[in-house]
Amino acid sequence: MSVLPDENQKRFIAILSKKMELGRTLNVLGHLSVGLSSQLESSESQYVDYADMDGNVHPSLSHYPFIVLKADNSNKLRKVREEAISRNIKFTDFTSSMIEGGSVEQQQRTKETREVDLEYLGVCIFGGTDTLREFTKKFSLYK
């Protein structure tokens, strides 16, 4: 077994609008997770396989914590996005323009909307724990 870095040095944090129903919330979280994972180099993130006693493998689970928080509104999510950009932190976001229709239609609708008019439904970030806590500590755990 290889030596893994301290699991508390980095983390994933997803911050989701508390105004969505459960099905939409899970859909947004899925899109955010996959999108952010695609941006990360294997040297940045660590994924581990778990093996059970019967020799079955449970593959590719994050070594680093994945924390899910909730936001009261779109503007709070926008601020997280802006903070990630200003600190050069990898992120992805999801807006209401990305809900209906296929991805081509969603891209067009987003392109036709000014950023200030976008309603953010979620933001997902990855980085150093201490840095991320500086601007996410005011959010509550999603329960």
Side-chain angles (χ1 to χ4, degrees):
M1 183 146 78
S2 64
V3 176
L4 293 168
D6 177 2
E7 66 190 34
N8 294 310
Q9 70 182 3
K10 294 180 183 179
R11 63 187 46 213
F12 292 89
I13 298 179
I15 307 170
L16 304 169
S17 170
K18 70 178 190 178
K19 297 180 179 183
M20 295 182 287
E21 51 87 15
L22 182 60
R24 168 86 15 95
T25 300
L26 295 174
N27 181 265
V28 169
L29 180 59
H31 279 284
L32 291 171
S33 302
V34 171
L36 183 57
S37 293
S38 75
Q39 296 180 41
L40 301 177
E41 302 291 327
S42 59
S43 61
E44 292 177 275
S45 55
Q46 296 281 325
Y47 297 95
V48 294
D49 294 341
Y50 289 74
D52 63 30
M53 188 184 285
D54 299 317
N56 297 302
V57 176
H58 308 274
S60 302
L61 295 166
S62 177
H63 169 67
Y64 294 116
F66 194 114
I67 311 300
V68 182
L69 305 173
K70 63 182 173 182
D72 291 335
N73 59 53
S74 176
N75 285 333
K76 291 185 178 186
L77 292 166
R78 177 179 280 106
K79 288 178 181 160
V80 170
R81 180 183 185 274
E82 290 167 355
E83 196 68 35
I85 292 168
S86 73
R87 293 174 182 242
N88 202 28
I89 293 170
K90 291 191 177 172
F91 76 96
T92 189
D93 61 64
F94 196 97
T95 68
S96 61
S97 64
M98 302 169 186
I99 292 173
E100 300 296 326
S103 67
V104 172
E105 181 182 335
Q106 295 165 0
Q107 287 175 311
Q108 186 62 38
R109 188 169 36 254
T110 304
K111 188 175 185 172
E112 293 169 355
T113 307
R114 295 176 355 156
E115 191 281 332
V116 70
D117 296 326
L118 290 171
E119 178 189 7
Y120 287 91
L121 301 177
V123 177
C124 193
I125 53 182
F126 176 78
T129 297
D130 292 339
T131 301
L132 299 185
R133 279 187 179 147
E134 289 175 14
F135 64 98
T136 63
K137 64 184 173 196
K138 61 186 172 268
F139 296 97
S140 301
L141 278 175
Y142 202 107
K143 296 181 181 181

